[in-house]
Amino acid sequence: MGIVLDNVSFSYNNNEFITNMNLEIGSNKITGIIGKSASGKTTLLELISGLIKPNKGRILVDDLGINRKDIGIVFQNVEDSFFNIYVRDELKFALTNYNINESKIFDVIKLVGLKEEILNKRIDELSNGEKRLIAILSVIIYNPKIILLDEPTIGLDYKNKKKIISLIKNLKNKYNKTIII
């Protein structure tokens, strides 16, 4: 799915975060957004996801408005992504909302090489790497066409960074996802 930002501006409490932005992001690609701290990268992801609305301009996904089911977002602070205490319940959350069979949980767990025992753990018992993987899985489990990842490897060790990067590449190459980091 291609994404177009057409003259988009966003301000909050008289602070301008994005001003007259025009941007095209191609389908089935991995796109990186870089910039200084507090330059509006997270705000841009929130605008594309539909979590916040631009004050001016429009955002189109495949020449249409934003359909939340087509877009999944994983926040920089993954704890902001979780709605439940247990991993199983967190993964079931999206499945229930989108009326998808629960057996899909086992498919996504295998996708990243986690053991089924993790499903019975509390999220606060997980390592940072496991939390980040579960946050990403809780988005990809409902198969959005666009995945937004806000600093997906921040605070992770080399092994977990490598695992996340491999997952991102796999999602793009095998499942034709549009991914914005």
Side-chain angles (χ1 to χ4, degrees):
M1 299 195 109
I3 302 166
V4 174
L5 279 77
D6 180 25
N7 206 31
V8 169
S9 294
F10 180 79
S11 60
Y12 181 74
N13 287 341
N14 295 323
N15 293 319
E16 281 197 355
F17 290 95
I18 294 176
T19 306
N20 300 324
M21 178 180 275
N22 292 295
L23 176 66
E24 288 187 37
I25 298 171
S27 296
N28 305 326
K29 296 185 183 311
I30 296 173
T31 302
I33 306 292
I34 58 172
K36 295 178 185 175
S37 183
S39 63
K41 299 179 303 289
T42 297
T43 301
L44 176 60
L45 292 181
E46 290 174 349
L47 284 162
I48 292 170
S49 74
L51 289 175
I52 58 176
K53 305 285 184 215
N55 301 108
K56 182 178 129 192
R58 62 189 179 143
I59 301 170
L60 302 173
V61 177
D62 277 353
D63 298 323
L64 303 170
I66 295 169
N67 180 348
R68 287 281 306 129
K69 186 177 180 187
D70 289 335
I71 302 172
I73 185 168
V74 178
F75 300 100
Q76 178 179 342
N77 181 6
V78 292
E79 282 80 11
D80 293 342
S81 299
F82 298 130
F83 294 98
N84 294 283
I85 295 171
Y86 290 94
V87 171
R88 180 184 304 275
D89 294 334
E90 184 61 32
L91 294 176
K92 282 172 47 177
F93 181 77
L95 296 176
T96 302
N97 285 332
Y98 293 113
N99 200 22
I100 300 169
N101 189 305
E102 277 186 41
S103 66
K104 180 105 173 166
I105 289 175
F106 301 104
D107 296 338
V108 296
I109 291 290
K110 289 177 190 168
L111 181 68
V112 295
L114 293 173
K115 294 187 167 103
E116 288 182 24
E117 294 83 51
I118 200 165
L119 295 171
N120 299 318
K121 285 189 173 184
R122 292 172 54 101
I123 289 175
D124 60 5
E125 297 174 332
L126 303 177
S127 70
N128 286 338
E130 289 171 330
K131 285 179 185 176
R132 188 139 325 258
L133 282 171
I134 296 302
I136 293 171
L137 293 180
S138 68
V139 166
I140 66 173
I141 199 165
Y142 67 89
N143 198 26
K145 296 172 183 163
I146 299 168
I147 300 171
L148 309 174
L149 302 168
D150 194 356
E151 299 196 36
T153 61
I154 193 166
L156 299 182
D157 60 19
Y158 176 76
K159 178 182 158 193
N160 282 307
K161 282 182 183 182
K162 193 172 172 182
K163 191 180 267 191
I164 297 287
I165 290 167
S166 176
L167 173 61
I168 292 167
K169 288 178 182 176
N170 190 26
L171 290 170
K172 188 262 180 217
N173 294 331
K174 190 173 179 183
Y175 300 102
N176 297 316
K177 300 295 180 190
T178 300
I179 300 171
I180 304 172
I181 303 171

